[in-house]
Amino acid sequence: MTSEELYEDDKFPAPQLAALVASKVYYNLGEFNASMRFALVAGDKLDLSQQSEYVETIISKCLSHYISVSQKLHDIPKENLTDEEKVIDPKLVAVAEKMLKRCIDNGDHKLALGVVLEARRLDIIESILKNAGNAVDATGDETTTSALAQYVLDCSISLVSNREFRNKVLHMLVGIILDTENADYFAISKIIVQLNDSNLALRLFKDLLSNAKLDDTKRLIAYQVAFDLVASAPQQLLESVANDLTTFNGADKQEGGANYYDKLIKILSGVPTCDLNITFLQKHNNTDLSILNKTKNQLDGRNSIFHSAVTFENAFMHAGTTADGFFRSNLEWLSKATNWTKFSATAALGVIHQGNLSQGRRILQPYLPGSQGSCYSQGGSLFALGLIFAGHGREVVDYLRQHITDGGVGSSQNSEAEVVLHGAALGVGVAGMASGNVEVYEELRNILFSDSAIAGEGVGLAMGLVMAGGSGSSDASLSRDAADSAQAEMLQYAHDTQHEKIIRSLAIGIAVLNYAKEEAADVVIQQLISEQDPILRYGGAFTIALAYAGTGNNKAIKLLLHIAVSDASDDVRRAAVMGLGFILLRNHTAVPRMVELLSESHNPHVRYGTAMALGISCAGTGLKQAIDVLEPMMKDPVDFVRQGSMIALAMILIQQNEKLSPKVKQIQQAFAKVISAKHEDAMAKFGAALAQGIIDAGGRNVTISLEHQQTGNLNMKAVVGLAVFVQFWNWFPLAHFLSLAFTPTAIVGVREDRKVPKFNFNCHVNPKLFGYPAKVEEQNEKAPEKVVTAILSTTIKAKHRARKTNEAKKKMKQEVGGDSGDESDGEKDVKKDSEQEDESKMDVDATSAGINAGKEDLTLSNTTIDDGNNDSAIVNDEFDQFCDSIQKSSRRVYKVENMSRVLPSQLKYISFDKEGRFVPIRKFRGVGGVIVVTDNAPKEPVEIIKTVRQINSPDDDEDDEAPLPEPFEYIPEENEE
């Protein structure tokens, strides 16, 4: 009898032993599932503590199977499960829990937490965190509750694929973190953004400011959390928190002293953050205007596609810098813009002045409706106004709504009014993005129902932008119902209308509305990808991309790959491949390998999608593998594939220099060569011009950042901006949406009063490694070379005879008694010429040295060097260990000024002096942006960096006002007589 038969035989006295033997037999046969099944029924005969390959394999298979069935039980509705799948084998649970207990006893808390996170065991997670001691595990990591809670938080954000379970974990973490002795308020801020919970934010700020007068640290932490929320939270959450704080502040005014809630509300308005960003970009603008001017001269401005290309290039190069001098100095070229080209040119001012909240309306005043300009300038100016106030549109949404309601009266709209409506709709969509404003949505819907193709194209997208995300903060159920209702109306009208422009706009609007909804968007996804209309299937592909952006969800990836190879429409296949870039944002290194075969597809639309997927997922990383895939595509026989590859390369190589990415100069030269080539296709030239603008965007001081450094969540504004940007394939003005993805790369230390003091922090590697790329040198045209004069043979012979005669005369003079020590005239001439040559050479060397010195001064304009013994910097995996090694070792330290350009790859080399005057309130862990610092010597004088807002509108800054004098009693002096 076999061991299996013995186990099944009721009369056999040792069935567990037979099961163990059967398990080992199947193990040696490679049948691991069968081996695991018999091992589970072996009971006590299976010694899990035994150190053997067999036991380790059985444990591994048991844990994998337990995770799989547990996930299925939690994630899939019970009505879709079989009776067997509804119950987990108790023996399997016993083995899994026994191994988890062993991990915890051995101090491997993180390993245990990883398993139970995947198995969806919230009860065990909570138990581990509450019972964690102040010890160190086997890997040397802390096992305190705070450290383990931070680990669970990071894993939940980046690894847990089920949204419902992730939210349960985050809610559980809030209570655990706040109950710890030294609560990590910055971890709570991450949870606030993930849950989009304004009530939790209000609770946090009340806790931090409950004793603000006496506790300076908590007050500064509150301000830092507010700056982090402005950088990463959607507009609706910020407005809801600000409104709640205003109500609370009015009911609970503090007695005497400054009102700290007012300062907090001011920060949450986004005004200080925008002011600091444009001040940095304006102060450090390093745009190479020679590239822009050369492109303008080589592309015929009378051709609308070329005029638009230069417009976008200028807008990207100067994004956020407020430097609009190129337009002012090229008025003749600008006058060649007509119709929609003029619309794009005017909207470019919004990109250039993005974040200039104090001066935005004044700058655009000559172009806004009511001026004498054309309808295209008026529409473009409204779009520009929305771009300036992107994400902070409270001040201008009502103004833009007024133009929508005025233009929507009646159904007989002329073409000029439709153009203005188009611009107003795009403007209100950008300014009110993710605000969830139902009133704005309804006004846009009224315009949509007029069935105007031009106005409807802007309105459909704007409806999706306003309702982006589909869930609110203060009343989630109400906002979710409004979003679901909006989605149903948009989809219904897409079926009813005959205008392709409106259908396409609504399809993208639905995709934006479902941003980050994950499995909650599955119903509408299935509906869209099953449509007969390819435009709606196109929208379905983008809905998958945005709903699962950054999740790496396998189901979504398989669905997009299936669409990419099977759909009958080239547009849908192109969108599906691009969607892969959005889903794999957090795992960008896997994208080149995944799409490498698609880059060689016979279908050019698939190749274009491959290029853009690489550009989206690897933006700002300089990833070599992505560059290797894209570089050959620059020579693709199809023009729009070349266009896509150049744009993608620029997105990847943004803020890269030759030391970081050796190919960057070669690729920039390739862009210039495409533009200058007379016989190159217009679409390829358009792509090269955009690429030049992207690679040098924001005065070379911004990157494309799709993930927030402060909170670790996705940058919604950037992801949505990129998704709309790629729609320039159908409508050029949408290219301006790329500016929403630009993030300044700076460290800005601010005091409690939101002023920027001048001080230095440390960089432990030579900043020249991360310096600006060298500017393009203007090559002067070579003068025509002189033709060598022909010399006859008789002339050569005559010179030879004359030379012999001179030598004979010289010899005769020496014999007669001439001074042999004197030099001949010929020798003197030769020596004089040699000296002149050496002197000239010295001049050239000196000039060259001066140029090089100038370049070095430019590179290190904001740095001073402290000499040390060692110039090298060692980077460890753990940032804290790296900082400790810096403090202990003697090395060369470079001082960098506050509000300086610091690249993301440079952040790990930055540190602050612990004993310095200005120290960050949050322990610095390689995160840039706005950093609130503690002033350890507040009474000592310090130089303040004036911001753009303080320079332009000094009266608007209440902190500049002199403080009221203290009460005093006047005692007149007595006259001494």
Side-chain angles (χ1 to χ4, degrees), residues 40 67 104 154 175 204 224 306 367 382 387 516 519 547 560 629 667 759 805 851 856 864 888 900 919 935 964:
L40 286 174
I67 289 171
I104 295 169
D154 293 339
L204 176 66
Q224 181 66 71
F306 292 152
Y367 311 100
L382 294 174
L387 289 168
E519 60 270 9
L560 285 177
V629 174
I667 289 171
F759 69 95
T805 305
I851 292 171
E856 188 169 352
T864 57
K888 293 177 183 177
S900 287
V919 181
D935 190 350
L964 292 173

Side-chain angles (χ1 to χ4, degrees), residues 158 161 548-557 580 582-587:
S158 57
S161 58
Y548 289 95
T551 63
N553 187 282
N554 286 330
K555 181 182 71 173
I557 292 172
L580 295 172
F582 287 100
I583 293 176
L584 292 166
L585 288 179
R586 288 195 169 108
N587 189 21

